[in-house]
Amino acid sequence: MVATVVRLKLTLLRHSLRRDPWRLVVLLLGILWALGTTPTLLAGAWWLAGPGTAARPDILVVAGTLLVLGWVVIPVLVFGTDDSLDPVRFATFAVPVRRLVPALGVASAISVPAVFAGVVCTLSLVAWAGKGTTVTIVTALCAPVSWVTCLLSARVATLAATRVIATRGGRRLAAGAAVAVIGLVALGVWFLGSLGMSAALEAVPGLSTVLGWSPLAFTWAAPGAAATGDLAGAVARLVLAVVWAIGLVGAWHHLLRGVLTHPVLRGGPTRRRHDLILDRAPRNTSRVAAAAVAGRARRYWAGDGRYLSALAAGLLLPVMITGLVAIAARDAVIVLGPLLGATLGWGRHNDTAFDGSALWMHVTSGMRGVDDRRGRARGVIIWAAPVVVVGSVVGSAVAGRWAMLPASLGAGLGLLLVGLGVSAVASVVLPYPAPRAGASPFAAETGGIGASMAAQLVSSVLTTVLALPVLVGFALAWWWSPAASWVTLALGVLGGGLLLRSAVDLGGRALDSRWAPLLVRVS
């Protein structure tokens, strides 16, 4: 079974590379990046192996923790990064789970990120070179366990997230967990900012001690314990790491059995409710159509796993980036609002493709393109604008710079409106494959790599260029005079609103001229 699944993955990879040359370009770029980064990491490992590097255990523990967290978080928050075989496709073959788990596990190791992670884990042998035979043996035993932990963590995280967001109760649980994570990150940013850079660095040894007894860093702390003569602590950590890896295999086995025997349903029970849109809307079919699209968009954001994953990424990534930057400069928390606006607005640049074949309802109903564009924009603004406002207020409060609040609001709302404006046109002109309704939102889509790269690059550049006035105003208010804050607020709200309105009209005209080709492209 292992050989069959591995051969299947290699065959699918070969066919996808032949069908889509851009996928080959991305693969080669990933290989070049890994090859270019490896010498730097090797030099860092040699430096750690040198004499007088007292911080070596702490650095390795923190670095190992970040590596494992990356394998847990990135596949969940970023679309298209899980390139493993979709387990649902094996449901009709009646393959026993006990045979499928090792096969999928080996197949998941055939990727550039997996190989690169294996190299990073192996470099720990270089970092602990020359510290004695015992340390070398412990490090050699820990390296493969670290690598397996990374791979298993990614598989369990993606499958668990897929199952959780498939049910209404799970979505509520996920929303609560996301809010809790955001709160914890914000609290951590405030705490680190209050300590200052020097005090934060002094707290690293204590933090590494705690992390060394956590599943994230068992294998990264064991060599350090052996180097200090604590052989019992090293063996205990190694045993716990193996037990944790076995537990991850068991969790993956359980989740995989659930996916094969109870696949995620693409539909749900029908709920009858009074139609408030038709009752309260005036006899203006254009406004009724836009309101209907906006209402459907709001339901997507509350019940579609693909949209919930995008929402989690759009909220957590800005918070995490702000937290990392704020460690060096507490005032940097002020960028939270603009980052939220940028990610939430730009993130809808492929919104039309998420409709899939359901877009035919818009085609057959004779809906005007401008009503479709207007409704989609409203469906995002109604919740994204308050989020940007809250992020701007929190950023100003934590940074202690209330004079920057208007600038933060202007930049955040401006980036949100400009991003939605660019998305209103880009999702019509440059659509690319998106996860189907009911499918895993984390799986990589085959085909369309070139289109996705072009769409993301063009929409990013356009959003940046069109938002330059508010970005410049924000920078002037931050580094020159807070009096520019009010100008930035006016530019963001008024200028962004006018640009969004023009982009909606432009996107609507483009949509009217290509309803049928777009339906074929996204179906």
Side-chain angles (χ1 to χ4, degrees):
M1 177 57 67
V2 173
T4 301
V5 174
V6 170
R7 187 164 56 249
L8 174 61
K9 177 161 185 175
L10 293 176
T11 302
L12 292 174
L13 177 61
R14 184 173 63 254
H15 289 171
S16 64
L17 293 177
R18 288 177 178 176
R19 184 172 60 252
D20 190 355
W22 281 101
R23 182 174 288 272
L24 178 60
V25 173
V26 173
L27 178 63
L28 292 177
L29 289 176
I31 294 175
L32 290 175
W33 177 86
L35 292 176
T37 307
T38 300
T40 303
L41 295 177
L42 180 60
W46 275 117
W47 176 78
L48 289 175
T53 313
R56 171 176 37 210
D58 302 328
I59 294 174
L60 290 175
V61 167
V62 173
T65 301
L66 293 177
L67 177 65
V68 177
L69 282 177
W71 275 86
V72 173
V73 174
I74 292 177
V76 174
L77 294 185
V78 183
F79 282 154
T81 54
D82 182 14
D83 61 351
S84 60
L85 296 172
D86 189 356
V88 178
R89 299 183 184 275
F90 294 90
T92 58
F93 295 98
V95 180
V97 179
R98 66 179 181 277
R99 296 181 61 193
L100 196 56
V101 166
L104 290 177
V106 174
S108 67
I110 306 175
S111 67
V112 175
V115 174
F116 181 71
V119 172
V120 172
C121 294
T122 305
L123 287 178
S124 60
L125 286 168
V126 179
W128 288 107
K131 301 302 174 184
T133 305
T134 302
V135 176
T136 302
I137 293 175
V138 171
T139 307
L141 293 174
C142 287
V145 180
S146 302
W147 184 54
V148 171
T149 300
C150 291
L151 301 183
L152 291 174
S153 299
R155 302 282 77 79
V156 172
T158 51
L159 272 183
T162 302
R163 301 299 295 182
V164 166
I165 62 179
T167 62
R168 186 176 298 113
R171 289 191 289 269
R172 292 173 180 171
L173 178 63
V179 172
V181 170
I182 293 174
L184 289 175
V185 172
L187 183 62
V189 170
W190 175 83
F191 178 71
L192 291 175
S194 63
L195 287 179
M197 179 59 107
S198 59
L201 292 177
E202 292 176 357
V204 169
L207 177 63
S208 66
T209 301
V210 175
L211 292 174
W213 285 103
S214 71
L216 297 173
F218 281 145
T219 53
W220 297 92
T228 58
D230 185 11
L231 188 58
V235 173
R237 288 180 173 89
L238 182 56
V239 171
L240 289 174
V242 174
V243 172
W244 177 254
I246 295 174
L248 289 176
V249 173
W252 189 20
H253 186 283
H254 174 73
L255 291 170
L256 191 58
R257 182 184 298 277
V259 167
L260 296 177
T261 57
H262 299 87
V264 176
L265 297 178
R266 294 177 180 264
T270 301
R271 291 182 295 171
R272 297 179 177 270
R273 59 177 66 186
H274 197 60
D275 197 328
L276 300 179
I277 295 177
L278 295 179
D279 283 351
R280 296 183 181 181
R283 296 181 181 275
N284 185 326
T285 56
S286 178
R287 297 183 63 179
V288 171
V293 174
R296 192 188 66 173
R298 288 194 294 270
R299 288 193 62 184
Y300 282 171
W301 285 109
D304 193 313
R306 302 168 300 165
Y307 283 77
L308 289 172
S309 300
L311 177 59
L315 296 179
L316 290 176
L317 288 178
V319 173
M320 293 169 62
I321 293 172
T322 304
L324 293 175
V325 176
I327 295 176
R330 182 178 178 181
D331 285 353
V333 182
I334 203 74
V335 303
L336 177 59
L339 281 178
L340 286 169
T343 54
L344 296 177
W346 174 84
R348 307 319 307 153
H349 66 271
N350 195 39
D351 185 67
T352 309
F354 281 79
D355 282 10
S357 58
L359 189 66
W360 73 268
M361 294 187 296
H362 293 207
V363 179
T364 57
S365 65
M367 178 182 294
R368 297 193 309 159
V370 67
D371 298 329
D372 176 272
R373 303 291 94 184
R374 186 180 295 121
R376 291 177 189 271
R378 289 179 183 175
V380 177
I381 290 175
I382 195 170
W383 62 265
V387 168
V388 172
V389 171
V390 171
S392 300
V393 172
V394 171
S396 301
V398 174
R401 299 189 60 178
W402 288 106
M404 281 290 297
L405 178 58
S408 181
L409 287 172
L413 295 175
L415 285 166
L416 172 65
L417 297 173
V418 171
L420 290 176
V422 172
S423 299
V425 180
S427 61
V428 177
V429 179
L430 296 171
Y432 57 89
R436 304 298 182 188
S440 171
F442 314 111
E445 294 295 314
T446 58
I449 291 294
S452 65
M453 292 177 61
Q456 293 174 16
L457 177 61
V458 171
S459 58
S460 301
V461 172
L462 284 177
T463 301
T464 304
V465 171
L466 295 174
L468 274 179
V470 293
L471 294 176
V472 172
F474 181 78
L476 291 176
W478 193 354
W479 289 307
W480 181 53
S481 173
S485 294
W486 296 103
V487 178
T488 306
L489 178 60
L491 284 173
V493 176
L494 300 179
L498 291 175
L499 188 144
L500 176 59
R501 181 172 180 176
S502 301
V504 164
D505 293 337
L506 179 61
R509 289 195 297 270
L511 189 56
D512 287 333
S513 65
R514 61 181 71 197
W515 273 115
L518 183 62
L519 177 60
V520 173
R521 184 69 182 270
V522 303
S523 297

